[in-house]
């Protein structure tokens, strides 16, 4: 059966979300229809609105969520109706080269780079006012019901609180994994984190869990420092307080530069600053923020020739279908907290207010 429900549709760039009645088609073979219970707001959704990440409109955004399986298409074996699940913006098909390699996690079935805005078969399950509505990176969670491919959903503990573990669908896992999986931060090391939103704070937690001795949090909004310290930051630095470039400040603070740096904003200036602030010979810098569309980086190759490593991290390096249930289990065992990352809880119809809070740094 087609389900009619509410969704926040983005008809065009730089406009507010419009709460509309949409039709959600039933799942086809190897697809799963999910009733969304909770969804987080992530800067990546906002990048689409502002044009920093190019996607086709009209579109249903949202990619950090939790819900309950409503129905499944033919051939689906990993979930059944009634299961608690988290949709996966980085799918895991289990067959492509990235899925088969122990070091890889960016499944070739992802729709992050190509930005087609469709299900894997090239069609959509959403219509509104007779128009085709695009999907967003395999998930589309700003709707009461969504349809995802079986490779883009993970079954989780039936006791998990959905309004909290939704953050494991993106923000928490992305940041925490960038530290413990991608960078593999070691005990006693020094780290710098540029950007203290939900993902940046999760990097702070990951660095602390890995045993880093010094965790330097960098943001131009000093209001974020108290929470960063609560979660493990040892120092907080506002670049606006200094006349000299921030990478020089961090090198002076540490003597040689940091062992690990993380750019969790999505700006090319901070990406190069994060690279420059890490130790010249064995420092590792990780790009976690989504790079802005169409912008290029120019940097001195001597920064890398001397031995530094520059790497990227999507979804914290986790193989999604395998790792999300384990991360939820770890949360249930109190191995990490999610509560400090939740600043506001709003009804779905107030989604535009939620984005206003995000843009205001609140």
């Amino acid at each position: 059966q087609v389900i009619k429900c509410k969704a926040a549709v983005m008809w065009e760039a730089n406009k507010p979300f419009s709460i509309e009645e949409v039709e959600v088609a039933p799942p086809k073979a190897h697809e799963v229809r999910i009733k969304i219970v909770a969804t987080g707001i992530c800067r990546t959704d906002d990048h689409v609105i502002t044009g920093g990440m190019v996607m086709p409109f009209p579109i249903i955004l949202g990619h950090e969520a939790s819900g309950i399986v409503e129905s499944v298409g033919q051939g689906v074996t990993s979930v059944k109706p009634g299961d608690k699940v988290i949709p996966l913006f980085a799918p895991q098909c289990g067959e492509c080269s990235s899925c088969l390699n122990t070091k890889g996690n960016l499944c070739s079935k992802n729709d992050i780079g190509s930005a087609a805005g469709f299900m894997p078969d090239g069609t959509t399950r959403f219509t509104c006012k007779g128009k085709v509505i695009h999907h967003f990176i395999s998930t589309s969670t700003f709707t009461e019901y969504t349809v995802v491919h079986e490779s883009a959903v993970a079954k989780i503990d039936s006791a998990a609180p959905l309004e909290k573990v939704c953050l494991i669908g993106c923000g928490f896992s992305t940041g925490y994994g960038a530290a413990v999986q991608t960078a593999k931060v070691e005990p006693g090391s020094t780290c710098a984190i540029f950007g203290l939103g939900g993902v940046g704070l999760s990097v702070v937690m990951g660095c602390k869990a890995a045993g880093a001795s010094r965790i330097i949090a960098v943001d131009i909004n000093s209001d974020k420092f108290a929470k960063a310290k609560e979660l493990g930051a040892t120092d907080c630095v506002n670049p606006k307080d200094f006349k000299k470039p921030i990478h020089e400040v961090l090198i002076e603070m540490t003597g040689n530069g940091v062992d690990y740096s993380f750019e969790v904003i999505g700006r090319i200036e901070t990406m190069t600053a994060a690279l420059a602030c890490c130790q010249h010979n064995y420092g590792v810098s990780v790009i976690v923020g989504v790079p802005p569309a169409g912008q290029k980086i120019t940097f001195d190759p001597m920064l890398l020739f001397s031995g530094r490593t520059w790497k990227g991290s999507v979804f914290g390096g986790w193989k999604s279908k395998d790792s999300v249930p384990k991360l939820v289990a770890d949360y249930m065992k109190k191995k990490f907290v999610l509560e400090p990352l939740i600043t506001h809880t709003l009804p779905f119809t107030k989604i535009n207010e939620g984005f206003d809070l995000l843009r205001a740094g609140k």
Side-chain angles (χ1 to χ4, degrees):
Q1 295 288 340
V2 170
I3 289 179
K4 287 187 176 182
C5 67
K6 272 199 207 93
V9 177
M10 181 59 53
W11 290 103
E12 54 183 309
N14 295 304
K15 290 278 165 73
F17 288 91
S18 179
I19 302 288
E20 306 277 6
E21 182 180 82
V22 298
E23 291 91 46
V24 183
K28 295 188 184 177
H30 302 291
E31 293 177 1
V32 179
R33 188 160 61 183
I34 303 166
K35 176 181 168 61
I36 298 291
V37 173
T39 183
I41 288 174
C42 174
R43 180 67 79 175
T44 304
D45 303 304
D46 194 45
H47 287 328
V48 179
I49 299 165
T50 58
M53 185 177 185
V54 180
M55 289 280 162
F57 292 94
I59 192 167
I60 292 175
L61 295 173
H63 62 282
E64 176 182 275
S66 57
I68 295 164
V69 175
E70 176 270 336
S71 59
V72 298
Q74 205 180 332
V76 171
T77 56
S78 62
V79 295
K80 63 184 185 306
D83 283 349
K84 282 190 180 180
V85 292
I86 287 178
L88 309 169
F89 73 85
Q92 186 182 347
C93 71
E95 294 160 8
C96 70
S97 62
S98 288
C99 283
L100 292 171
N101 190 302
T102 55
K103 292 182 279 197
N105 82 317
L106 187 57
C107 174
S108 66
K109 297 280 197 298
N110 82 80
D111 190 32
I112 300 164
S114 63
F118 291 114
M119 295 293 288
D121 71 353
T123 63
T124 173
R125 302 295 164 267
F126 299 122
T127 47
C128 180
K129 300 177 178 170
K131 292 192 176 72
V132 160
I133 307 293
H134 292 91
H135 290 252
F136 179 52
I137 54 174
S138 315
T139 48
S140 287
T141 63
F142 293 165
T143 167
E144 292 175 324
Y145 287 87
T146 192
V147 177
V148 303
H149 191 267
E150 187 179 13
S151 62
V153 62
K155 179 183 172 179
I156 60 165
D157 183 344
S158 60
L162 293 179
E163 74 286 357
K164 290 175 183 167
V165 298
C166 60
L167 298 178
I168 291 172
C170 177
F172 173 77
S173 307
T174 297
Y176 189 78
V180 303
Q181 274 277 114
T182 306
K184 297 190 166 52
V185 171
E186 302 113 342
S189 53
T190 55
C191 303
I193 296 100
F194 289 69
L196 300 175
V199 183
L201 291 170
S202 300
V203 177
V204 171
M205 286 197 260
C207 292
K208 186 180 180 189
S213 61
R214 216 168 159 195
I215 301 170
I216 306 168
V218 183
D219 202 297
I220 54 172
N221 178 355
S222 299
D223 293 348
K224 301 202 166 189
F225 292 165
K227 189 156 275 185
K229 286 199 158 157
E230 177 196 328
L231 292 172
T234 55
D235 307 73
C236 292
V237 180
N238 188 330
K240 288 180 169 174
D241 296 340
F242 299 89
K243 292 269 192 295
K244 60 179 74 159
I246 188 64
H247 73 273
E248 291 180 16
V249 174
L250 292 166
I251 289 169
E252 275 178 22
M253 283 174 71
T254 54
N256 289 307
V258 297
D259 299 313
Y260 299 97
S261 66
F262 302 86
E263 198 280 354
V264 205
I265 303 163
R267 294 174 62 96
I268 56 173
E269 303 81 8
T270 37
M271 289 173 185
T272 42
L275 178 68
C277 83
C278 69
Q279 205 276 351
H280 71 280
N281 179 217
Y282 53 78
V284 175
S285 188
V286 183
I287 293 175
V288 188
V290 176
Q295 292 190 24
K296 301 281 182 276
I297 290 183
T298 305
F299 69 102
D300 178 354
M302 187 54 82
L303 284 166
L304 293 183
F305 176 75
S306 63
R308 286 182 184 87
T309 303
W310 208 359
K311 55 202 305 191
S313 179
V314 176
F315 194 58
W318 305 107
K319 286 191 188 286
S320 59
K321 219 170 156 81
D322 293 343
S323 302
V324 162
K326 291 179 187 155
L327 286 164
V328 171
D330 283 349
Y331 169 72
M332 300 297 279
K333 291 179 198 143
K334 300 194 165 44
K335 287 195 181 171
F336 54 80
V337 291
L338 293 172
E339 290 74 9
L341 300 176
I342 302 169
T343 54
H344 298 74
T345 304
L346 300 168
F348 180 44
T349 48
K350 292 199 174 171
I351 188 165
N352 286 308
E353 290 178 37
F355 274 84
D356 290 342
L357 288 162
L358 175 83
R359 292 171 192 135
K362 295 179 178 172

